[in-house]
Amino acid sequence: MPAPAPALFTLLANPATHAAIDGTGWVQEPVDRARLTQVGQVFRMGMYHPDHPLGVYQVANQVHVLDPPRAIGWRTGEEKEGGHLEFGGWTWRYDLVPLGPSESEVRLTYDWSAVPASIREYLRFPPFGAGHLADSLRHLAALATDG
């Protein structure tokens, strides 16, 4: 990407940019707007999916990788009664490798290998085509070069 790794990391660590980066259109507005600064931090996002029973719903993400400006990742789940978080077994991770002062290699990994059979009975995995990842990377590059 034609952007320095720290600038890309700044975009990824800001939940307010996630809807613009998302390649599916499912990610909407952040519920929690604080920058991602530590492993274990939880940030909730408003979502929309036409096949979801509610259409509009919310996910809870928990940061599990944070190595500025090289890597950031989170696992996605939902908040149950009493604030208890349950995660479904899928994670998102961006790895950033500086290639020079204004260029970076970016790898986006969507890992759903830990999704249990009980969830796979009612959710198809992966829930989107491979083009989603390429679209997300293209959106990230556009944000980085427009900003």
Side-chain angles (χ1 to χ4, degrees), residues 24-86:
T24 64
W26 301 347
V27 177
Q28 302 297 299
E29 291 294 316
V31 176
D32 301 308
R33 295 184 170 271
R35 289 197 169 277
L36 308 180
T37 59
Q38 61 187 352
V39 170
Q41 182 177 352
V42 174
F43 66 103
R44 291 160 193 83
M45 297 295 295
M47 304 288 289
Y48 170 76
H49 191 288
D51 294 333
H52 189 279
L54 302 174
V56 174
Y57 61 104
Q58 197 176 106
V59 295
N61 299 292
Q62 184 179 54
V63 176
H64 72 104
V65 174
L66 193 74
D67 182 16
R70 291 180 277 290
I72 187 167
W74 52 88
R75 56 190 187 145
T76 300
E78 61 184 339
E79 189 169 357
K80 300 291 190 173
E81 283 189 40
H84 172 71
L85 300 176
E86 283 187 13

Side-chain angles (χ1 to χ4, degrees), residues 74-104:
W74 52 88
R75 56 190 187 145
T76 300
E78 61 184 339
E79 189 169 357
K80 300 291 190 173
E81 283 189 40
H84 172 71
L85 300 176
E86 283 187 13
F87 298 96
W90 57 92
T91 62
W92 296 92
R93 179 179 173 135
Y94 289 83
D95 288 284
L96 312 167
V97 178
L99 299 177
S102 60
E103 190 175 36
S104 303

Side-chain angles (χ1 to χ4, degrees), residues 14-27:
N14 180 358
T17 62
H18 288 201
I21 295 168
D22 174 49
T24 64
W26 301 347
V27 177

